[in-house]
């Protein structure tokens, strides 16, 4: 891949040695004597502390790569780091923000083009040998515009693959800067365009290979999955159908529109085709397991369009009943999700948090279309879907608990069965106000929140000698996720609760980065030293505090907004 220079510097991390420098608050080094070929794999670099250490009692290391090794550069990002850290009263907290806010742009932008480079279009992809026609059909004319314009490939960390959900959340903290920095705007626009191609080609899949125009090598997940509809492995890294992945695709564009005062540059034929493909999935996955028409043969079994089987010793890695999953009833208004945002299989396929997020994002997308004066009929269709799903949640997704009263279930099947729990991964029940489905003061939400944050109410609320929080089946019964504490802080108005959550995360971040999960009895036992999504959630939490509760983190209680 060629290295492009525009408003940002793009370099790919290669094998070698990162060079640390004093601090983002000091003048940045020129990189003299430093060559991009000397940049190592950040997954290895992040496992070790690097000087200089923060001046607080935790003495946290500085974990940003050398300036020449960062995968994306923006003066606006550096400005925010200076603005926030210079106001903070805890030097350890300041160091953690300094490391985490730019984690995505420093380390995970594996490919980006602003669309003006020669060959960065459909022709370049064809030259790479990629079969452009979608496996879902279509003619050559429908491929017009493929891979044209800005494109961005964003990995979540130590795997060279892009998850729709993770990449959207990774970019979320810098979305407000899109109106100030044209380079960030193009980066996010490129991410929307790239995700559009992923959704068009394989809407049931969750994680994808590098775009063919990047000339980056593909990787393999080492699994032997049997999936329908079939997918192209040179295009798809993993094909677990997660409803929230499609909701995140909508959220990425909706957020850019909101933060730029109404940009609709992404509203082109390819994005609209992706939206139409998404609606096709909603139609297919709102179908029941048995035919509701009594005239068709007394409730005959109707095999789902999507099936997934994986040879695995862990039940959460595959779907039972020959890859279909447990039966779901008709007439609920809800949409099936085969997997959760943790990439674990659902038990009951109507996964409430993803349905809630989809309902919100469909409504937001309808408003975007209205504002652009385009596709009025399509906007009405999106609103109708949103209402149907929302009504289904309130009718089937709210159950009465013997202790907590009316609460949101995590999963339901429409037959009256429910799973009462929460998982740390977003979207979650705890995060319902953040996604805009309910106000934080809503009685059912407050009942649910009490349930989720007690061991008696949530089987995956984990406590130990050194840490606590919500975990999930993905990493077992001893590891809680810092992400859950950050969501807890963002959905609270109680100063003591917020401070306790942030302190727990801070004390678990000995390497100056936020981990995927932490053993509740041993802080030194964790999963993933480098997890850009979790780092982004920490940065978003600090920015939320800076605006909403500045007295908790700043020396002066003056609100700060990017």
């Amino acid at each position: 891949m060629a290295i492009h220079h525009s408003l940002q510097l793009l370099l790919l991390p290669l094998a070698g040695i990162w060079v640390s420098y004093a601090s983002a608050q000091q003048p940045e080094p020129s990189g003299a004597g430093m060559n991009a070929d000397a940049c190592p794999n950040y997954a290895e670099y992040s496992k070790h502390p690097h000087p200089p250490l923060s001046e607080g009692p935790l003495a946290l290391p500085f974990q940003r790569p050398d300036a020449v090794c960062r995968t994306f550069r923006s003066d606006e990002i550096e400005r925010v780091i200076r603005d926030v850290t210079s106001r903070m009263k805890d030097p350890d907290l300041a160091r953690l923000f300094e490391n985490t806010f730019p984690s995505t742009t420093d380390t995970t932008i594996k490919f980006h083009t602003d669309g003006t480079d020669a060959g960065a279009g459909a022709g370049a992809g064809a030259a790479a040998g990629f079969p452009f026609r979608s496996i879902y059909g279509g003619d050559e004319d429908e491929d017009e515009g493929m891979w044209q314009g800005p494109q961005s490939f964003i990995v979540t960390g130590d795997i060279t693959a892009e998850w729709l959900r993770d990449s959207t959340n990774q970019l979320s903290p810098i979305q407000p800067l899109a109106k100030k920095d044209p380079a960030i705007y193009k980066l996010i626009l490129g991410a929307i365009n790239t995700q559009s191609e992923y959704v068009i080609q394989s809407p049931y899949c969750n994680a994808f290979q590098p775009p063919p125009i990047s000339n980056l090598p593909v990787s393999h997940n080492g699994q032997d999955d049997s999936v329908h509809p079939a997918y192209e492995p040179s295009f798809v890294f993993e094909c677990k159908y997660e409803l929230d992945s499609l909701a995140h695709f909508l959220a990425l564009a909706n957020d850019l529109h909101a933060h730029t005062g109404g940009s609709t540059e992404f509203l082109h034929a390819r994005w609209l085709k992706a939206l139409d493909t998404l609606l096709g999935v909603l139609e297919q996955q709102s179908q029941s397991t048995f035919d509701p028409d009594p005239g068709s043969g007394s409730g005959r079994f109707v095999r789902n369009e999507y099936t997934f089987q994986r040879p695995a010793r862990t039940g959460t890695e595959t779907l039972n009943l020959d890859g279909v999953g447990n039966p779901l009833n008709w007439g609920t208004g809800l949409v099936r999700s085969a997997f959760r945002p943790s990439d674990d299989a659902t038990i009951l396929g109507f996964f409430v948090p993803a349905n809630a997020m989809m309902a919100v994002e469909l409504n937001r997308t309808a408003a975007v279309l209205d504002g652009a004066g385009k596709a009025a009929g399509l906007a009405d269709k999106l609103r109708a879907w949103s209402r149907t799903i929302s009504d289904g949640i309130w009718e089937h997704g709210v159950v009465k608990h013997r202790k907590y009263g009316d609460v949101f279930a995590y999963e339901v099947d429409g037959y009256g069965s429910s799973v009462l729990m929460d998982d740390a991964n977003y979207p979650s029940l705890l995060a319902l106000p953040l996604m805009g489905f309910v106000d934080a003061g809503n009685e059912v939400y407050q009942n649910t929140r009490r349930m989720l944050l007690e061991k008696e109410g949530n089987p995956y609320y984990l406590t130990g000698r050194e840490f606590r929080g919500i975990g999930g089946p993905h990493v077992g019964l001893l590891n809680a996720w810092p992400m859950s504490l950050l969501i807890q802080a963002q959905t609270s108005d109680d100063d003591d609760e917020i401070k306790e959550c942030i302190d727990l995360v801070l004390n678990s971040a000995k390497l100056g980065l936020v981990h995927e999960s932490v053993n509740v009895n041993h802080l030194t036992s964790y999963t993933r030293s480098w997890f850009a999504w979790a780092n982004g959630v920490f940065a978003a939490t600090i920015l939320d505090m800076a605006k909403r509760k500045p007295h908790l983190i700043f020396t002066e209680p003056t609100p700060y907004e990017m």
Side-chain angles (χ1 to χ4, degrees):
M1 182 190 100
I3 296 175
H4 309 296
H5 295 270
S6 56
L7 293 175
Q8 78 279 7
L9 172 65
L10 172 66
L11 291 166
L12 296 179
L14 303 172
I17 302 171
W18 295 100
V19 176
S20 296
Y21 64 91
S23 170
Q25 297 186 55
Q26 297 180 6
E28 297 210 12
S30 65
M34 183 68 178
N35 190 297
D37 293 336
C39 298
N41 183 328
Y42 189 78
E44 290 301 316
Y45 180 84
S46 63
K47 294 177 182 177
H48 307 283
H50 301 277
L53 305 181
S54 64
E55 296 179 356
L58 296 179
L60 296 183
F62 180 79
Q63 298 292 68
R64 295 187 68 185
D66 186 87
V68 76
C69 297
R70 297 171 193 169
T71 56
F72 184 88
R73 297 291 305 282
S74 165
D75 290 341
E76 280 298 305
I77 289 174
E78 304 304 324
R79 177 189 63 79
V80 171
I81 294 172
R82 291 191 299 270
D83 285 351
V84 174
T85 57
S86 65
R87 291 167 164 81
M88 296 178 79
K89 52 189 175 184
D90 183 338
D92 292 324
L93 198 65
R95 172 53 54 82
L96 192 54
F97 180 81
E98 182 181 11
N99 288 338
T100 57
F101 179 66
S103 180
T104 288
T105 48
D106 276 359
T107 65
T108 68
I109 314 301
K110 287 292 185 180
F111 171 77
H112 171 62
T113 174
D114 63 8
T116 62
D117 310 302
F130 182 77
F132 278 123
R133 184 177 298 179
S134 169
I135 59 175
Y136 295 94
D139 54 36
E140 293 296 337
D141 290 340
E142 290 181 335
D143 293 339
E144 185 178 353
M146 238 183 147
W147 301 116
Q148 292 182 2
Q151 303 287 334
S152 305
F153 177 65
I154 299 159
V155 301
T156 192
D158 51 5
I159 303 172
T160 307
E162 176 172 329
W163 271 254
L164 298 180
R165 169 187 55 257
D166 294 35
S167 57
T168 294
N169 284 298
Q170 286 168 244
L171 291 171
S172 180
I174 65 169
Q175 282 267 15
L177 299 178
K179 64 188 175 191
K180 299 179 179 179
D181 187 340
I184 290 178
Y185 173 80
K186 288 290 187 182
L187 175 70
I188 298 173
L189 180 61
I192 296 170
N193 291 341
T194 299
Q195 285 197 8
S196 296
E197 299 302 335
Y198 290 153
V199 172
I200 291 169
Q201 172 74 5
S202 295
Y204 280 104
C205 300
N206 60 321
F208 295 86
Q209 305 283 8
I213 60 171
S214 70
N215 293 322
L216 292 172
V218 300
S219 52
H220 303 281
N221 65 19
Q223 303 295 337
D224 183 22
D225 300 337
S226 176
V227 182
H228 184 272
Y231 61 85
E232 169 55 53
S234 66
F235 189 82
V236 171
F237 178 79
E238 184 177 64
C239 199
K240 290 180 173 178
Y241 161 57
E242 299 161 354
L243 179 61
D244 77 276
S245 290
L246 296 176
H248 275 96
F249 163 68
L250 297 180
L252 184 60
N254 289 335
D255 287 349
L256 183 67
H257 179 269
H259 286 296
T260 55
S263 172
T264 55
E265 191 175 350
F266 60 85
L267 269 179
H268 46 64
R270 299 302 290 174
W271 187 86
L272 290 170
K273 182 175 176 63
L275 176 59
D276 184 64
T277 305
L278 180 154
L279 291 175
V281 172
L282 297 188
E283 185 67 39
Q284 292 167 356
Q285 295 308 310
S286 60
Q287 304 303 311
S288 57
T289 304
F290 301 100
D291 192 338
D293 182 1
S296 65
S298 72
R300 64 182 178 85
F301 168 62
V302 180
R303 190 172 183 84
N304 195 280
E305 175 70 15
Y306 175 84
T307 61
F308 181 99
Q309 290 179 287
R310 170 177 290 179
R313 297 176 63 184
T314 305
T316 54
E317 284 298 302
T318 191
L319 296 177
N320 63 352
L321 295 174
D322 293 326
V324 174
N326 290 318
L328 300 173
N329 208 351
W330 58 77
T332 65
L334 298 172
V335 181
R336 177 180 185 253
S337 185
F339 289 87
R340 301 168 178 172
S342 59
D343 296 340
D344 294 330
T346 54
I347 298 171
L348 304 178
F350 292 141
F351 175 54
V352 172
N355 273 270
M357 184 178 182
M358 179 59 75
V360 169
E361 296 304 333
L362 287 168
N363 225 15
R364 294 179 73 199
T365 302
V368 170
L369 294 175
D370 284 340
K374 294 184 178 181
L378 179 58
D380 291 341
K381 185 176 182 179
L382 300 185
R383 274 189 289 269
W385 265 111
S386 178
R387 285 193 300 271
T388 298
I389 295 171
S390 294
D391 290 346
I393 292 172
W394 287 106
E395 182 177 354
H396 298 279
V398 177
V399 301
K400 187 168 289 295
H401 191 283
R402 58 177 175 77
K403 177 180 178 181
Y404 303 101
D406 287 343
V407 298
F408 289 106
Y410 191 64
E411 296 169 356
V412 296
D413 62 1
Y415 288 102
S417 297
S418 60
V419 175
L420 297 183
M421 58 166 281
D422 206 15
D423 190 290
N425 285 264
Y426 182 94
S428 62
L429 293 178
L430 190 62
L432 287 175
L434 298 184
M435 67 182 76
F437 185 73
V438 293
D439 292 331
N442 177 273
E443 182 180 358
V444 178
Y445 173 73
Q446 283 298 319
N447 292 345
T448 307
R449 196 175 193 275
R450 286 193 295 273
M451 178 182 73
L452 302 179
L453 297 176
E454 291 183 3
K455 186 64 178 175
E456 182 182 354
N458 180 8
Y460 291 99
Y461 185 76
L462 309 177
T463 61
R465 291 190 301 270
E466 298 186 343
F467 196 67
R468 63 180 175 275
I470 298 173
H474 198 66
V475 291
L477 297 175
L478 286 174
N479 280 40
W481 293 53
M483 190 184 302
S484 74
L485 290 163
L486 299 170
I487 298 298
Q488 182 181 346
Q490 290 185 53
T491 55
S492 175
D493 194 48
D494 183 277
D495 287 5
D496 292 337
E497 180 183 11
I498 293 169
K499 189 175 187 310
E500 183 179 31
C501 290
I502 292 177
D503 286 347
L504 281 166
V505 174
L506 178 63
N507 289 322
S508 73
K510 305 297 185 184
L511 282 174
L513 295 166
V514 180
H515 303 305
E516 176 189 54
S517 72
V518 176
N519 187 295
V520 294
N521 295 315
H522 305 285
L523 290 181
T524 55
S525 177
Y526 58 83
T527 59
R528 302 183 79 172
S529 59
W530 172 42
F531 190 33
W533 179 12
N535 285 306
V537 177
F538 177 82
T541 304
I542 294 301
L543 290 168
D544 176 49
M545 294 302 103
K547 178 181 178 182
R548 192 166 59 92
K549 299 277 188 178
H551 59 279
L552 293 181
I553 61 172
F554 288 166
T555 54
E556 298 291 336
T558 304
Y560 171 82
E561 194 167 357
M562 285 196 291

